[in-house]
């Protein structure tokens, strides 16, 4: 997997808002991965992130495999297997949503102050702003770790093992290629 | 526990209950389903003809104004599944001999003892423990089926269940999901020696079907595939044709009369050249074999999500001097259709929604849209209203009418045996890009009840109201029609004048149809209040209507889950 550069826009904005002192207080796995050639992500964290992925409201729009194959009447979400975002940016988008789109925010206090993109509720007037299921910052960190480790850069079509991990032994999983066939 | 012990325990329980003066529920036989007792509501549409007409007449035009809440029973609070939809109460509860069987969006079943008259006591709750990550679809289970000594239901992830009616224990569970896009919401239909089920999810890349299954073990007896390959030039990912609402059963002819959902992809007809049978159709199916006897398609090569899963009304009407078995159906596309129940040919009909812009009308001979060209692979209809893009790419100034949820959606209609009118509960308005819905009157979504003369197919009467028609209708021998709307009103109408005789507001949106039944000789109206299911936040629905205060309050509706019971 190629090393991914973090999107610095939100980080720079945050740094200018809070000053350099805020930086050490925030976890920057994305930044770390850019500096470290072999980033290690804690397996337990990925497992926790998978639980968040399954129990939250992600898969309606992004599909159970995160490849953008929405379920039913949900809006069509982007294929997360093809995005190029680092963990910190993903966490921010999860917690703050994307005002003006159907991507919901999951931090119950988002836009109550300027924690999200420096914007308050008033700044989002006239923009679509959807509230998703509530999520803690730790859950968002774990979720972002899962997305980076298990979705980004993976083939658009999920494999049998991924399907069985999600659905158990449902017959439809057998129609997918195996991980070995995909070169894993 | 061995089977014998179960039987013995059942006998002992029955004796105990009899000693306490509580009637033990008898088996729900096919004969009882054919001729249900007046006080009971034993199958989804009350009777196989889907009439939702009750012979109960204690509540009348003269006294319905005195109707009051007798008691309420809250169910498990609503929550969201993985598909980001709030679970809702959209089901039709069943009542057998003083016990109600109601399902919720998660596929739980509640048995509620109504025999006290002044309260409902939950006897048991069957929770299938549906994992949130498998609850990927809209969580709006539409009810259960009673057959023999058991209850049959399907879970959001399409587990087909047989449940002990007395205890709520799951006797068996059979997995029926064939594709991750499928989810299940239909109330199964029990006919003689068969339970009919089918999947929802036709707004995704799946192919619909109906399955007849063995009530003893859940095995498949036959499968009817709703997608006719020869009617789709492109194979692969196209299809749809989900079956998410309970159909009718013509017992005399042993035919299931079923409504089939929209084609997929919903909005891009060029991706599926052809009429796309049997989507947006009513099909008559041999109940023994699953073979199609006839079909009638309402909107060939659809581009507006005009599912036709809604109520399939079966009744006799005098059409041009001949007593005819009629299928009466309010199309989601804005038109009412009378179809010959013996062969599927079009008899008569009319435009019941005021705003219809996708066609200039229906051909009086064929019942097809006037612009329909049987030789064309992709229909044109009225080009300026024709969708040809994904929903997310809708141009800002695009619009079509009726609203994409209807017209009359799947919310049940009713046929009164007394007035010979068939009543539809509808939404009146148009579809706009959600980002540019007009804020003035043009953008309103309102509602109405329309009564259609079953002989002529023409509108006999119509009454309008400020918010959309959601929930459903029933009619009774007391001369009333009970209905509901999205502003939280449950109301009683005079079945002839459609004058509103009674109204009660529950303070949040209603999604479920009312029923009526009698316990200890007293008539009740039962209603589930549990909005949810549409869009990421149902709070945004219905958006604008013609009453500014109501429209503002609707933005703050809360996801209640309460059973209401009304009586005189």
């Amino acid at each position: 997997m190629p090393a991914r550069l973090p999107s610095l826009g939100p980080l720079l904005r945050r740094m200018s808002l809070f000053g350099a002192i805020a930086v050490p207080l925030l976890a920057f796995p994305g930044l770390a991965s850019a500096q470290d050639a072999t980033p290690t992500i804690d397996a337990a964290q990925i497992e926790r992130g998978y639980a968040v992925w399954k129990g939250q409201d992600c898969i309606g729009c992004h599909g159970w495999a995160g490849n953008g194959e929405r379920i039913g009447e949900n809006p069509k979400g982007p294929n997360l297997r093809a995005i190029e975002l680092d963990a910190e940016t993903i966490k921010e988008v999860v917690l703050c949503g994307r005002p003006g789109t159907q991507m919901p925010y999951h931090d119950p206090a988002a836009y109550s102050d300027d924690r999200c993109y420096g914007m308050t509720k008033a700044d989002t007037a006239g923009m679509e702003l959807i509230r998703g299921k509530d999520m803690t910052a730790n859950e968002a960190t774990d979720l972002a770790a899962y997305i980076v480790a298990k979705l980004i850069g993976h083939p658009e079509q999920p494999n049998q093992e991924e399907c069985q991990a999600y659905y158990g032994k449902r017959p439809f999983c057998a129609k997918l290629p195996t991980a070995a066939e995909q070169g894993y | 526990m061995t089977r014998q012990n179960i039987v013995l325990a059942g006998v002992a329980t029955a004796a105990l209950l009899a000693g306490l003066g509580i009637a033990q529920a008898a088996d729900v036989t096919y004969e009882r389903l054919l001729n249900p007792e007046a006080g009971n509501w034993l199958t989804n549409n009350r009777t196989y003809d889907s009439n939702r007409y009750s012979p109960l007449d204690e509540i009348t035009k003269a006294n319905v104004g005195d109707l009051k809440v007798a008691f309420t029973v809250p169910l498990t609070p609503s929550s969201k599944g993985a598909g980001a939809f709030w679970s809702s109460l959209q089901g039709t509860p069943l009542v057998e001999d003083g016990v109600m069987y109601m399902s919720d969006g998660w596929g739980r079943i509640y048995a509620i003892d109504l025999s006290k008259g002044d309260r409902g006591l939950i006897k048991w709750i069957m929770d299938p423990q549906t994992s949130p990550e498998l609850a990927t679809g809209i969580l709006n289970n539409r009810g259960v089926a009673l057959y023999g000594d058991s209850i049959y239901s399907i879970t959001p992830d399409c587990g087909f269940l047989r449940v002990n009616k007395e205890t709520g224990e799951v006797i068996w569970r059979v997995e029926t999901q064939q594709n991750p896009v499928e989810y299940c919401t239909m109330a199964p239909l029990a006919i003689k020696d068969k339970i009919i089920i089918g999947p929802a999810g036709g707004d995704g890349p799946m192919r619909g079907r109906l399955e007849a299954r063995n009530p003893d073990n859940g095995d498949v007896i036959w499968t009817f595939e709703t997608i006719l390959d020869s009617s789709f030039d492109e194979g692969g990912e196209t299809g749809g044709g989900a079956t998410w609402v309970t159909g009718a059963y013509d017992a005399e002819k042993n035919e299931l009369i079923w409504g089939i959902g929209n084609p997929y992809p919903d909005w891009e007809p060029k991706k599926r050249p052809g009429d796309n049978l049997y989507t947006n159709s009513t099909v008559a199916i041999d109940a023994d074999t699953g073979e199609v006897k006839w079909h009638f398609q309402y909107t060939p090569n659809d581009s507006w999500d005009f599912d036709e899963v809604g109520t399939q009304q079966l009744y006799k009407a005098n059409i041009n001097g001949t007593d005819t078995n009629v299928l009466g159906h309010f199309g989601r596309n804005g038109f009412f259709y009378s179809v010959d129940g013996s062969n599927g040919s079009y008899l008569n009909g009319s435009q019941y929604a005021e705003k219809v812009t996708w066609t200039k009308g229906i051909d009086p001979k064929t019942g097809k849209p006037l612009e329909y060209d049987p030789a064309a692979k992709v229909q044109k209809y009225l080009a300026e209203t024709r969708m040809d893009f994904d929903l997310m790419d809708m141009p800002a100034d695009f619009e079509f009418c009726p609203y994409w949820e209807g017209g009359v959606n799947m919310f049940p209609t009713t046929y009164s045996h007394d007035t010979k009118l068939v009543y539809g509960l509808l939404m009146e308005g148009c579809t706009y890009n959600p980002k540019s819905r007009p804020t003035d009157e043009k953008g309103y979504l309102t509602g109405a009840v329309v009564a259609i003369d079953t002989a002529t197919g023409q509108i006999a009467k119509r009454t309008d109201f400020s918010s959309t028609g959601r929930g459903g209708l029933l009619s009774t021998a007391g001369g009333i029609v009970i209905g509901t709307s999205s502003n939280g009103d449950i109301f009683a109408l005079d079945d002839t004048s459609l004058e509103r005789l009674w109204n009660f507001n529950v303070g949040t949106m209603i999604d479920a149809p009312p029923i009526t039944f009698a316990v200890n000789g007293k008539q009740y109206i039962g209603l589930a209040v549990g909005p949810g299911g549409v869009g990421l936040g149902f709070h945004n629905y219905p958006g604008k209507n013609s009453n500014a205060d109501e429209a503002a309050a609707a933005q703050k509706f809360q996801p209640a889950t309460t059973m209401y019971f009304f009586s005189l």
Side-chain angles (χ1 to χ4, degrees), chain A residues 57 75 96-106 111 127-133, chain B residues 80 535-537 540:
Chain A
D57 51 5
C96 297
R98 290 186 59 209
T101 76
Q102 307 243 30
M103 175 66 197
Y105 65 86
H106 296 83
Y111 306 102
M127 302 168 92
E128 191 162 19
L129 189 62
I130 298 172
R131 179 170 178 172
K133 275 190 185 174
Chain B
K80 279 186 182 178
L536 280 168
N540 296 325

Side-chain angles (χ1 to χ4, degrees), chain A residues 44-57:
Chain A
Q45 185 181 33
I46 295 170
E47 199 54 39
R48 288 198 305 274
Y50 189 40
V52 177
W53 172 257
K54 292 199 294 184
Q56 266 287 341
D57 51 5

Side-chain angles (χ1 to χ4, degrees), chain B residues 501-515:
Chain B
L501 304 172
W502 171 80
N503 195 86
F504 182 85
N505 188 276
V506 300
T508 192
M509 192 163 79
I510 297 172
D511 245 3
I515 64 162

Side-chain angles (χ1 to χ4, degrees), chain B residues 124-283:
Chain B
W124 52 254
I125 300 171
M126 187 289 295
D127 188 343
Q129 303 285 341
T130 304
S131 306
E133 67 259 33
L134 298 181
T136 53
I138 300 179
L139 298 173
N140 48 11
N141 190 287
R142 297 195 177 80
V144 303
L146 296 173
Y147 190 66
D149 58 1
S150 302
I151 300 170
Y152 295 86
S153 70
I154 32 183
T155 65
D157 55 335
C158 301
F160 177 44
L161 302 182
R162 180 181 179 186
V163 175
N164 181 314
K165 194 170 69 176
E166 295 303 322
T167 64
E169 283 171 282
V170 176
I171 299 168
W172 46 248
R173 174 180 172 127
V174 175
E175 302 302 337
T176 73
Q177 191 183 29
Q178 290 189 5
N179 177 331
V181 176
E182 290 176 12
Y183 57 97
C184 282
T185 60
M186 181 204 286
L189 182 71
I191 59 173
K192 191 170 172 53
D193 301 329
K194 292 180 192 73
I195 309 290
I196 311 297
I197 61 168
D203 296 313
M206 58 81 81
R207 292 190 155 206
R209 63 191 176 277
L210 282 179
E211 297 170 350
R213 287 182 176 260
N214 185 329
D216 292 332
N217 54 23
D219 285 354
V220 175
I221 298 170
W222 53 252
T223 300
F224 161 66
E225 306 280 351
T226 63
I227 297 303
L228 193 63
D229 274 322
S230 59
S231 192
F232 279 78
D233 265 16
E234 309 288 322
E237 290 293 276
T238 61
T243 52
W244 45 286
V245 176
T246 311
Y249 176 59
D250 182 334
E252 221 164 277
K253 299 177 70 185
N254 192 33
E255 287 173 2
L256 294 160
I257 311 295
W258 222 278
I260 309 297
N262 58 277
Y264 174 84
D266 301 32
W267 322 104
E268 297 157 283
K270 279 184 190 149
K271 289 190 178 170
R272 40 176 168 75
D275 283 356
N276 308 148
L277 288 169
Y278 296 102
T279 67
N280 298 356
S281 301
T282 296
V283 290

